[in-house]
C-alpha cells in the first residue's frame, strides 16, 4: 500500500473513532502511556512551551493543565475530529491544529517539550517523523515518546496484524537507534507498564 494511502486510511479510521475515543475503560489503558510524561512535567516548576503530537482527544494536554496552568500548550493531530473533541475540553489558550507528523505546521526550534503517546507505530515514515519532532524542538528541549512495547515479541507481531493503520512497532533497541539517528542526546528509556516503553532525548 502507498504511503499517502496509509496516512489517508489512518485519518479516516481515527475520524470514525473520535466520538467514542474517551470511553473510560480504554482511557484506563491510555493513561499508562501518559504517566511517565506527567511525572517528568511535575518536576518542571517554570512555565514551558509544550507540543503534544498526535494529541488525539486532548486527554494528556488536559492532565498537563491540571499540573500547571502556566504552561503554553499546543496539540496537533491528523484527525480533525480528534482535534474537535480536544477543543471541547481544553482552555481556549491551548492551540490545536490538524496536521501530519511528517510535515508539522510549526516553526523550527519552538518547543521546550515535544510529546508523543501511543501513536508512533502509525507513522509511515518514522525517521522523517522523528526529524520533524526534532526540528520543532528548541535546542536544550526534550522529546518524550511513550510507545507500545509489549514484553513479548509475538504480541508485537499480532498487534501489527490486527490493529488498523499500525505500520511498525519498534523494539526498545530500534527506538533508541531512531533517537541516536536523529541526533538526540542523553537518551533514557524506561518501561511504564507491561505494554509501554518511554524513550526521551534532548536536542543539543
Ligand atoms: C491511538 S491514538 C493516540 C492519541 C493520543 N496520543 C492519546 O494518548 O490518547 C493515535 C493518534 O495518532 C494520530 N495519527 C496517526 N497518524 C498520524 C500522522 N501521520 N500525523 C499525526 N497524527 C497521526 C491519530 O489521528 C490518533 O489520534
Amino acid at each position: 500500500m502507498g504511503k499517502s494511502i496509509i496516512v489517508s486510511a489512518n485519518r479516516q479510521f481515527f475520524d470514525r473513532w473520535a466520538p467514542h475515543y474517551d470511553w473510560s475503560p480504554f482511557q484506563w489503558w491510555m493513561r499508562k502511556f501518559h504517566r511517565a510524561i506527567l511525572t517528568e512535567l511535575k518536576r518542571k516548576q517554570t512555565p514551558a512551551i509544550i507540543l503534544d503530537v498526535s494529541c488525539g482527544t486532548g486527554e494528556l494536554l488536559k492532565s498537563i493543565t491540571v499540573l500547571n496552568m502556566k504552561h503554553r500548550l499546543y496539540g496537533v493531530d491528523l484527525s480533525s475530529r480528534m482535534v474537535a473533541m480536544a477543543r471541547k475540553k481544553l482552555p481556549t489558550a491551548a492551540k490545536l491544529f490538524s496536521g501530519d507528523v511528517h510535515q508539522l505546521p510549526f516553526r523550527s526550534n519552538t518547543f521546550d517539550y515535544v510529546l508523543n503517546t501511543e501513536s508512533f507505530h502509525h507513522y509511515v515514515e518514522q525517521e522523517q517523523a522523528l526529524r520533524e519532532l526534532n526540528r520543532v524542538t528548541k535546542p536544550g528541549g526534550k522529546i518524550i515518546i511513550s510507545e507500545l512495547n509489549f514484553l513479548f515479541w509475538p504480541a508485537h507481531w499480532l498487534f501489527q496484524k490486527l490493529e488498523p493503520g499500525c505500520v511498525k512497532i519498534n523494539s526498545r533497541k530500534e527506538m533508541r537507534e531512531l533517537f541516536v539517528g536523529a541526533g538526540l542526546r542523553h537518551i533514557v528509556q524506561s518501561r511504564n507498564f507491561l505494554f509501554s516503553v518511554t524513550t526521551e532525548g534532548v536536542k543539543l
Side-chain angles (χ1 to χ4, degrees), residues 7 10-11 14-15 17 21 26-27 30 33-34 52-60 76-79 82 99-102 104 116-119 121-124 163:
V7 173
N10 259 323
R11 185 183 290 112
F14 285 105
D15 272 349
W17 193 1
Y21 190 82
F26 177 69
Q27 284 303 324
M30 295 312 298
F33 293 89
H34 301 169
D52 185 7
V53 176
S54 299
C55 61
T57 58
E59 281 295 300
L60 175 60
V76 61
D77 198 281
L78 183 67
S79 155
M82 286 282 191
D100 185 350
V101 67
H102 303 96
L104 288 171
N116 186 260
T117 55
E118 223 266 21
S119 302
H121 57 284
H122 290 290
Y123 303 158
V124 281
E163 198 200 23

Side-chain angles (χ1 to χ4, degrees), residues 89-107:
K89 68 176 76 148
L90 290 169
T92 47
K95 307 263 185 297
L96 301 173
F97 301 84
S98 300
D100 185 350
V101 67
H102 303 96
Q103 202 173 6
L104 288 171
F106 304 107
R107 290 204 180 135

Side-chain angles (χ1 to χ4, degrees), residues 162-173:
L162 296 181
E163 198 200 23
C166 179
V167 176
K168 181 173 189 291
I169 302 175
N170 292 290
S171 68
R172 199 170 166 137
K173 180 165 172 277

Side-chain angles (χ1 to χ4, degrees), residues 150-204:
F150 296 96
L151 278 175
F152 304 107
W153 181 247
H156 284 198
W157 177 84
L158 197 64
F159 210 90
Q160 279 174 187
K161 291 269 172 233
L162 296 181
E163 198 200 23
C166 179
V167 176
K168 181 173 189 291
I169 302 175
N170 292 290
S171 68
R172 199 170 166 137
K173 180 165 172 277
E174 286 169 331
M175 208 64 198
R176 172 178 278 278
E177 283 166 2
L178 281 166
F179 269 57
V180 170
L184 291 157
R185 297 286 184 270
H186 309 304
I187 299 164
V188 178
Q189 292 187 295
S190 55
R191 177 163 291 284
N192 298 317
F193 204 61
L194 292 177
F195 44 72
S196 167
V197 163
T198 297
T199 308
E200 56 180 69
V202 175
K203 172 173 173 176
L204 292 186

